[in-house]
Amino acid sequence: HVQLVESGGGSVQAGRSQRLSCAASGYDGTMYCVAWFRQVPGKQREGVAAIRTDLVSTYYADSVEGRFTISQGSDKNTIFLQMDDLKPEDTAVYFCAATEGRCIPYGPLSQDQYAYWGQGTQVTVSS
């Protein structure tokens, strides 16, 4: 079965950088749409970055545009989220999500688009 395993979370000071990794396994074919979401207690899960792996098109939430970068590893099974200039409001549990679909019909930053989810990794940014 499909497994997504996140790593790289932890505590960091504001203004610093951190990189998250998502390792995918157990699937046939191609995951065309992969994304990172985040969630804080009491709030809805928010899509922060997504990538169309065949086109290498990327999508970002306004809140992270210019600071976060999503990319694909050379093995095609790993997706990274490089987070720069971190802010306390970036504190959340970050989840990796993937689907065989081409980021439609719900859109790359909609959680309804995704069939597979990781367990999440905590990122805490202190001021």
Side-chain angles (χ1 to χ4, degrees):
H1 67 284
V2 176
Q3 276 197 309
L4 302 176
V5 180
E6 302 97 337
S7 61
S11 297
V12 64
Q13 285 193 317
R16 304 295 290 269
S17 299
Q18 198 161 29
R19 189 174 82 157
L20 304 181
S21 300
C22 172
S25 63
Y27 61 94
D28 296 322
T30 302
M31 293 292 182
Y32 285 103
C33 194
V34 185
W36 286 94
F37 287 75
R38 66 186 181 188
Q39 189 169 26
V40 297
K43 291 193 175 182
Q44 278 202 324
R45 196 168 290 190
E46 174 192 20
V48 296
I51 185 167
R52 263 286 295 270
T53 59
D54 54 336
L55 303 176
V56 200
S57 301
T58 56
Y59 311 86
Y60 296 97
D62 290 344
S63 57
V64 306
E65 179 84 54
R67 299 188 299 120
F68 289 13
T69 304
I70 188 170
S71 62
Q72 183 174 279
S74 57
D75 64 356
K76 308 295 185 187
N77 294 322
T78 307
I79 298 292
F80 301 102
L81 183 68
Q82 176 68 36
M83 304 183 293
D84 298 322
D85 189 22
L86 282 160
K87 303 177 180 182
E89 51 263 43
D90 294 319
T91 295
V93 178
Y94 283 73
F95 298 89
C96 178
T99 183
E100 295 96 335
R102 285 171 167 79
C103 300
I104 56 173
Y106 300 104
L109 296 180
S110 169
Q111 61 178 328
D112 293 335
Q113 186 62 55
Y114 295 91
Y116 308 108
W117 291 84
Q119 296 286 353
T121 184
Q122 175 71 45
V123 173
T124 302
V125 184
S126 58
S127 56

